[in-house]
Amino acid sequence: MPVPYKKRLGSRDYQNYSTQELEKAVTAVKNGKMSQRKAALMYGIPRSTIQNWMKSNVKLKTGGQTVLSYETEQELVGIIQVTSDWGYPLESIEVRKLVQSYCNANKLNIRQFKENLPGINWFRNFLRRHKDLLSLKKAQNIKRSRAEISPISIHEYFDRLRDNLAGVTPNNILNYDETNISDDPGATKIVARKNGKHADRLMDTSRTSTSVMFSGTASGKLLPPYVVYKSLQLYDTWTNYGPEGAIYNRSKSGWFDTHLFDDYFFRVALPYFKKSLKEEQKVMIGDNCSSHLSYKVVKACIEYNIRFIFLPPNSTHLTQPLDVAYFRPFKGVWRSLLKEWKLKNRGVLPKCQFPSMLRQAIESLGNKSQKNLISGFRACGIYPFNPTEVSKRLPEGFEPPKVHMAEVLIKTLKQERFKTEKPTVPKRKALKLLPGQSVSVPEALEMIKIKEEVKNEPKSKKVKLN
């Protein structure tokens, strides 16, 4: 860690005045309104400081100077911000190597750096100097298909959304989304022996998960969840002590299909909309999934004046209110409760315990649940309607840094983010092997060669006998 500066007892004070007062004092002396001695007494500034500012145009800050100039550090800050905006953030070692390449390219020999590579203490002090512009964060990996969301598709979505939301009250704007609740509480930092190689914790975890459909309105109301177990049967103990009004079902895959979504719609969404007047316009917002529409659902939507609005593909991290503001705090509470249960019990969480754990997680959020839903609809620009809430989070929505930035860097970032080329996968050819038989590369090539020769042999024509 960088050593923080501590003022030594008895040392003289540095810069007990503002920059504005210094400028006033220097201007007054330059204009002949007062002498340097009088300006020093009036503004409380050392006479030698005023002399230095009168003689030289080089204005250095008080105290120790940085290795790189102020302009160079500002340009480095701009590069870090732009690369982060385009989805290619730099790690600490990459920032340090970037500085090393800059020093080597400009033939600089920085004695404080070993082979022009800054140390970790320089990097930490660099972040401290620019804490208003930069911070260390844990990066979240997103698929390239999500990164390829363009402002054009977002603008087209909001153009359609504006017409569909005209005159709709927040109580009648419903967002639904399916999420996966796992049996793994995740890794956490612990205190362990310093020289130990491993830090293990005895806790049974598995990859099993349960699918839950959540629904929330723009007014902050959370509807009862719809739980789908991965099973062919449904037992009574799997439905006890759960959230009030929750619905339980099962499927072979553990995910929603058309039948299950129909059941969710008629048992959760439609009963809620029936509380409003039939002629009032109602809106359901969700991802564009083929299993979310059927003839029965469309017929009911026409009867009760309900419109479905599908989100642009691969954009739920920007346009789905539940995804943006609700699921993360909910799953944080879920992992805490799950860890507490696993520290007291052995094995995976049984399905009979899942409903009560789900109820505890939802109730633990309390009033935050309503605030998170309202914030999610606001952040997604749905209610209040504000497309700039989403567009400003796209790379094109960021203002360019007010420092020199190489055009080749921006061009490279664009090519990487919107890259459409995919690696070519060679066509596979099955090898005929006996059970337990292995094969080497030459043997595999020989088998393929024989197979091709047999395939290319002319087929004998069948002769019909009269």
Side-chain angles (χ1 to χ4, degrees), residues 123-134:
F123 174 74
R124 289 168 178 162
N125 283 320
F126 171 76
L127 288 183
R128 184 180 297 176
R129 288 193 295 272
H130 303 282
K131 59 184 178 181
D132 296 334
L133 301 173
L134 301 174

Side-chain angles (χ1 to χ4, degrees), residues 82-99:
V82 170
T83 53
S84 175
D85 296 344
W86 283 96
Y88 292 91
L90 302 178
E91 298 180 9
S92 61
I93 184 62
E94 293 170 332
V95 173
R96 291 157 56 198
K97 286 184 176 180
L98 185 63
V99 174

Side-chain angles (χ1 to χ4, degrees), residues 109-125:
N109 186 16
I110 309 297
R111 63 180 181 83
Q112 292 92 334
F113 298 162
K114 185 177 181 180
E115 297 179 357
N116 277 344
L117 178 66
I120 189 64
N121 283 347
W122 175 90
F123 174 74
R124 289 168 178 162
N125 283 320

Side-chain angles (χ1 to χ4, degrees), residues 191-198:
V191 181
R193 183 187 295 273
K194 184 176 181 179
N195 296 328
K197 293 184 178 180
H198 302 286

Side-chain angles (χ1 to χ4, degrees), residues 171-172 223 265-280 282 300 303-306:
N171 289 326
N172 289 333
L223 273 61
F265 177 82
F266 286 104
R267 300 200 63 180
V268 177
L270 190 58
Y272 170 76
F273 282 135
K274 284 183 177 180
K275 297 177 183 178
S276 303
L277 297 176
K278 199 171 184 179
E279 59 272 11
E280 287 185 4
K282 309 164 191 70
E303 182 180 355
Y304 290 95
N305 203 13
I306 302 172

Side-chain angles (χ1 to χ4, degrees), residues 24 94 201 391:
K24 289 179 181 179
E94 293 170 332
R201 181 174 59 184
S391 61

